[in-house]
Amino acid sequence: MKNYVKPVVLTNDELAEGVYAASGSSAADCWTVEPVSVQDSNGSHHVFEIRCKHSTAVEHISSATTVVLTFSAPLKDAYSEFTSSFSGSTVTVVRTLLADAYKSGDTMTYKVWVQAADEAATKAITCTGATITCTKTVNVQGGGAEEI
């Protein structure tokens, strides 16, 4: 394999259209995610608030985010107000964002309810890991999409 050569990107502010290389699902260089326990039992589930914050350095249209949460125990049940699934000790939540143009520091929060094998395990469960990915959408009219 030959040596990698970093591509060169040129911009021309006088043009109305551009070519955007940041399209599709990718690792979130734009969002951070923080799961916070807000209620250890609502009678059946442990409730976590998922706090997502957009980078102050990136602006683009984000049409969806996918959050993957890992918990300290196997789950018997899990759900969110958004499309979600669970397997073992992992919950995946997909939040469609209606192609919002996220700007510096924008935030979103939502809840995830998880249940372990019994009441004691449910109360004691912790979130041990969280990742977020972003589906970036190109704005063909210019602006609002991350230009690379």
Side-chain angles (χ1 to χ4, degrees):
M1 183 173 166
K2 295 185 178 190
N3 291 337
Y4 175 77
V5 177
K6 184 177 179 180
V8 176
V9 177
L10 303 174
T11 61
N12 185 336
D13 293 332
E14 296 174 5
L15 294 177
E17 295 184 344
V19 176
Y20 300 93
S23 179
S25 191
S26 66
D29 55 345
C30 50
W31 289 99
T32 58
V33 60
E34 178 188 15
V36 177
S37 172
V38 293
Q39 186 176 14
D40 68 2
S41 180
N42 68 351
S44 63
H45 289 72
H46 194 125
V47 184
F48 288 84
E49 184 173 82
I50 310 307
R51 299 174 183 170
C52 305
K53 184 172 184 178
H54 200 269
S55 169
T56 58
V58 180
E59 179 179 339
H60 62 85
I61 294 176
S62 179
S63 58
T65 57
T66 301
V67 172
V68 178
L69 305 167
T70 306
F71 292 91
S72 59
L75 302 173
K76 185 166 90 173
D77 187 34
Y79 63 92
S80 175
E81 62 251 57
F82 299 103
T83 303
S84 62
S85 62
F86 74 96
S87 178
S89 61
T90 302
V91 176
T92 302
V93 180
V94 178
R95 182 171 188 248
T96 302
L97 302 172
L98 306 174
D100 295 334
Y102 280 87
K103 296 182 180 180
S104 300
D106 285 354
T107 61
M108 64 179 171
T109 60
Y110 54 90
K111 302 270 191 312
V112 171
W113 291 261
V114 297
Q115 183 181 46
D118 56 37
E119 184 179 355
T122 298
K123 285 184 176 185
I125 201 166
T126 60
C127 187
T128 59
T131 61
I132 187 168
T133 55
C134 176
T135 302
K136 298 173 184 171
T137 303
V138 174
N139 180 355
V140 296
Q141 297 164 342
E146 180 182 1
E147 295 182 45
I148 295 183

